[in-house]
Structure formats: C-alpha cells, structure tokens
Amino acid sequence: MPTRSTRILLAAVAILFTRVLLGILLEYRWYFPADFDKSAFLSGRRYTFTGLYHAFFYSHILSGPVAIVLASFLILSGGRAQFRCWHRLAGRALVLIVLCLLFPSGLVMAYQAYAGPPAAAGFGILSLLTAAAALMTAYHARARNFALHRRWAERCFLLLISPLILRLIAGAVIVMDIESELTYRLNAWLSWLVPLVIYEMLRSRKNFAVPPLWIIVVDEVTSPWRESRPRDS
C-alpha cells in the first residue's frame, strides 16, 4: 500500500491539475465571443480566426475538458464492479470524442501553432498518438485483455492531460522570465513526451508492483466509509 507521503503527493497533484483546468476554463469568457485583445491565445489571430480554424477551435476547446473529465472517471472507476456499466458508457463516449472531435481539431490547430513547424509537429504527433491510444484502449477492452487495456488507458490519460502539464510548464517559464519561441517549441514536445517516457520507464522496471493510480485514490477516498460501516453478523 502507498505510504502517507505518497498519498499526500497524489492528492496535491490532483488538486494542482484541477486548479489548472479551472484556470483554463476561466479563460473561456474571452472565447464567447472571441476577444482578440484580452485573450493571450487569440492575440494576433484576428485575421486567421476564420473558416475551418474557427470551427475546429471551438470543437477543440469544448471537447477537451469533457475528455479530461471522462478520462479521469475512467481511471478511477476501472476494475470496480459497481461502476462497470458507467465505465463502459464513459469509455465509448471518450473514444468517440477523441476520434471525432479532439483528433481532427487538434491536427487543424497544430497546423497554425505559434512558433512554427517544430511546435506544429509536436502538437500534431500528440493528436495522432492520442487517437491511437484511444483506439488501442478500446481494442483491448473488446478483446477482454484487461491488462493491456489498462496500460493503454493510462497512456491515453497521460496524453489527454498534457495541456494541463503544458500550462504548468508555461507558467514556470513565465515566472523564470525565459519565455521565448524556443521554450514554446520545447513545451510542445516535453509536455506529453516526458510523462510518457517516465511512465514507460516505470512500467519496464522488473517486478514493478505499484498499484494502479485509481486503486490508490479510490481506496483512500472510501477507506473511512468502509471502516465506519457496520460489519455483518
């Protein structure tokens, strides 16, 4: 079982990511309607924010948070019999959202990424890998190979939360006063590549026996309820 320090660290990370997601959603007030003066992201895009890009931009920002919430629920509910039905429905919904909305809109937005082709390539490959991970997760679920299903689900989750990691890195870069096109290009790659590399390194370790993240979180949340529940005589 995880130590107390591990539980505290996981809780802190969850709170931090939630805070970042809420911060991103708060900026949506400048997207409806598009405010090119107040929005840092839309600044300089007044004359390109038309046609296909305009449609895919809104598709991306509306489907992205939904995908993160669904993926978080799937991570927490995996392997829990009481959530089996909801888990399947949420999984199907997530795959549809990724393939029909996030993947194509991510490619279109990557094409016009700030800092040119290096950043565009990073975001474009992220979109491709996210779609591939979602497909592999669904494939192994249908094949009832739940060990591989779980691993691909974890990879898909890491890719989906990469915008939160990107935002954290961007904030740190601004605080350190080293913001530039180079740091943005690096962030376009490091925000998803580093978490994946760390995950694969941990998974490849011999006798790797750390329990899945959702089991740690759910056990921690439900333990007070289980301890206070009257035992059957």
Side-chain angles (χ1 to χ4, degrees):
M1 290 300 293
T3 63
R4 180 178 178 83
S5 59
T6 301
R7 293 169 181 162
I8 293 174
L9 178 61
L10 288 171
V13 170
I15 293 171
L16 179 60
F17 280 172
T18 301
R19 171 65 182 84
V20 173
L21 179 59
L22 292 175
I24 292 174
L25 293 175
L26 185 62
E27 295 180 6
Y28 281 27
R29 68 187 188 276
W30 295 321
Y31 299 154
F32 300 95
D35 191 327
F36 300 98
D37 298 318
K38 293 183 179 179
S39 171
F41 182 82
L42 293 180
S43 178
R45 299 178 184 270
R46 186 183 302 271
Y47 301 107
T48 60
F49 196 71
T50 58
L52 194 63
Y53 184 87
H54 176 273
F56 278 110
F57 168 79
Y58 284 108
S59 171
H60 198 76
I61 67 168
L62 291 174
S63 59
V66 176
I68 291 175
V69 172
L70 282 175
S72 300
F73 169 75
L74 289 166
I75 288 295
L76 292 173
S77 62
R80 298 282 168 171
Q82 62 268 39
F83 296 118
R84 187 172 300 162
C85 180
W86 289 107
H87 186 88
R88 289 174 179 170
L89 291 174
R92 291 167 184 168
L94 179 60
V95 171
L96 285 175
I97 288 173
V98 169
L99 296 182
C100 299
L101 297 174
L102 271 182
F103 171 54
S105 62
L107 289 180
V108 171
M109 292 186 66
Y111 181 74
Q112 293 193 23
Y114 171 71
F123 292 129
I125 293 175
L126 169 62
S127 295
L128 288 168
L129 290 179
T130 305
L135 282 172
M136 293 301 294
T137 302
Y139 170 79
H140 287 296
R142 291 183 64 86
R144 303 188 68 80
N145 189 338
F146 295 117
L148 286 176
H149 166 71
R150 184 177 68 198
R151 291 192 182 185
W152 279 104
E154 290 169 346
R155 293 181 181 115
C156 188
F157 175 75
L158 288 175
L159 292 168
L160 286 171
I161 66 170
S162 63
L164 307 182
I165 300 173
L166 182 142
R167 183 62 64 94
L168 285 172
I169 297 175
V173 166
I174 292 173
V175 170
M176 292 185 291
D177 196 24
I178 57 173
E179 186 180 19
S180 66
E181 288 192 359
L182 175 60
T183 57
Y184 189 83
R185 289 167 181 162
L186 290 173
N187 201 1
W189 289 88
L190 297 180
S191 57
W192 58 268
L193 193 55
V194 170
L196 271 188
V197 169
I198 294 174
Y199 172 82
E200 297 301 336
M201 288 176 62
L202 290 174
R203 275 294 177 190
S204 65
R205 285 177 57 185
K206 190 175 181 179
N207 298 325
F208 180 70
V210 174
L213 175 60
W214 61 86
I215 291 182
I216 296 175
V217 174
V218 173
D219 283 346
E220 181 68 15
V221 171
T222 60
S223 59
W225 177 81
R226 293 199 310 269
E227 291 172 0
S228 63
R229 185 180 179 182
R231 297 180 180 273
D232 295 333
S233 57

